[in-house]
Amino acid sequence: MDFKNKIALVTGSSRGIGKAIACDLASHGAHVVINYSSNETAANAVKNEITHKGGSCEIRGFDVSSFNSVSGEIDDVVKEHGKLDFLVNNAGITRDTLLMRMKEEDWDAVMNTNLKGVFNCSKAVSRYMIKQKGGSIVNITSVVGEMGNPGQSNYSATKAGIIGFTKYIARELASRGITVNCVAPGFIETDITDVLPDNVKKMYKQQIPLGRFGSPEDISNVVSFLLSDKASYITGEVVRVNGGLYT
């Protein structure tokens, strides 16, 4: 894959899956805009890793739940680079607890970042992609958006919403040469799964036909493919990367 001269924005790319996506796109020649919300130190570490390997990138701190912040930053990116070819909506948070114990602010926080954030970024980017008559968007959903998971009513709802939103805007933007797809990871080795007790990890792995958690690179490989010309006739799809956990 050759992403030379392509400009890509990856939200929530200071760690985990987002970091892997940013690094992979940069390794294929894209100039990557690394987005973070609060951890500038981690974002700079990703930037240093990319530039050390000869890649091109920049960091921009903004909260995807704020449309004004998103719109202003994306306007600045296009003014500086003249275009924006790829958007990867990866930013997400969790506030897990059982429904009966969930506070309204925990529901709202997850909704605002995970689902409204996808709307904000997609809306701001789409007007430029429409003018360009081309571009690609990949939204990161989750296996729990399709199968659900105890203690994650808010998170599951946002990830299910992302699937519906993806299918809708894929139809709306297709006539402008813009593809929109989503990737649904299963259990991936990140800081989220690192904190799980060993017995819980063992239980989950027993439910996965491949018998292991995935790596962030398992996701980034699929994202890069969907953004590439090799996937130019694919839009509105949900690509499951879950080791066979849900098919």
Side-chain angles (χ1 to χ4, degrees):
M1 287 174 284
D2 183 6
F3 293 147
K4 187 177 180 181
N5 298 321
K6 299 293 187 181
I7 310 300
L9 167 61
V10 184
T11 67
S13 47
S14 64
R15 60 188 177 90
I17 291 172
K19 173 185 175 181
I21 294 169
C23 290
D24 196 53
L25 293 178
S27 73
H28 291 296
H31 175 82
V32 180
V33 180
I34 301 163
N35 160 255
Y36 70 96
S37 177
S38 58
N39 196 337
E40 184 176 4
T41 300
N44 272 310
V46 177
K47 179 181 178 181
N48 291 337
E49 182 175 334
I50 289 174
T51 55
H52 180 72
K53 295 178 180 178
S56 176
C57 63
E58 64 188 84
I59 63 172
R60 288 182 177 267
F62 60 89
D63 183 355
V64 297
S65 70
S66 167
F67 181 75
N68 288 337
S69 295
V70 168
S71 183
E73 291 291 341
I74 288 175
D75 286 348
D76 288 346
V77 169
V78 175
K79 285 177 184 177
E80 181 174 346
H81 300 285
K83 62 175 182 171
L84 185 54
D85 301 286
F86 304 146
L87 167 65
V88 181
N89 283 308
N90 168 75
I93 62 171
T94 58
R95 296 288 188 274
D96 296 349
T97 190
L98 296 176
L99 177 62
M100 296 304 296
R101 298 176 182 172
M102 184 170 293
K103 297 177 181 178
E104 183 180 1
E105 53 264 36
D106 290 334
W107 175 273
D108 289 344
V110 174
M111 283 289 167
N112 287 337
T113 295
N114 297 13
L115 187 54
K116 186 185 176 187
V118 171
F119 163 78
N120 288 341
C121 294
S122 300
K123 178 179 171 66
V125 164
S126 63
R127 63 192 183 101
Y128 288 111
M129 290 185 174
I130 287 171
K131 291 178 182 178
Q132 296 165 190
K133 297 182 179 179
S136 293
I137 299 172
V138 174
N139 300 320
I140 306 301
T141 178
S142 169
V143 65
V144 304
E146 295 188 284
M147 64 179 281
N149 198 41
Q152 290 192 308
S153 61
N154 48 5
Y155 187 77
S156 298
T158 61
K159 293 305 184 178
I162 288 171
I163 293 172
F165 182 74
T166 297
K167 290 180 176 293
Y168 166 73
I169 61 170
R171 286 182 173 270
E172 181 175 303
L173 300 178
S175 64
R176 308 304 180 95
I178 301 166
T179 62
V180 188
N181 294 285
C182 58
V183 176
F187 289 98
I188 306 299
E189 292 177 340
T190 65
D191 53 357
I192 294 176
T193 55
D194 285 345
V195 299
L196 293 173
D198 288 341
N199 63 317
V200 174
K201 290 181 183 179
K202 182 179 179 180
M203 177 190 69
Y204 282 140
K205 288 177 182 179
Q206 289 173 342
Q207 298 173 19
I208 300 170
L210 286 181
R212 63 176 178 85
F213 289 170
S215 71
E217 289 71 28
D218 289 325
I219 308 304
S220 65
N221 289 338
V222 176
V223 172
S224 291
F225 167 73
L226 290 172
L227 294 173
S228 75
D229 290 340
K230 294 179 183 294
S232 62
Y233 200 55
I234 301 174
T235 196
E237 289 296 327
V238 181
V239 181
R240 297 171 180 139
V241 188
N242 59 38
L245 176 63
Y246 182 88
T247 60

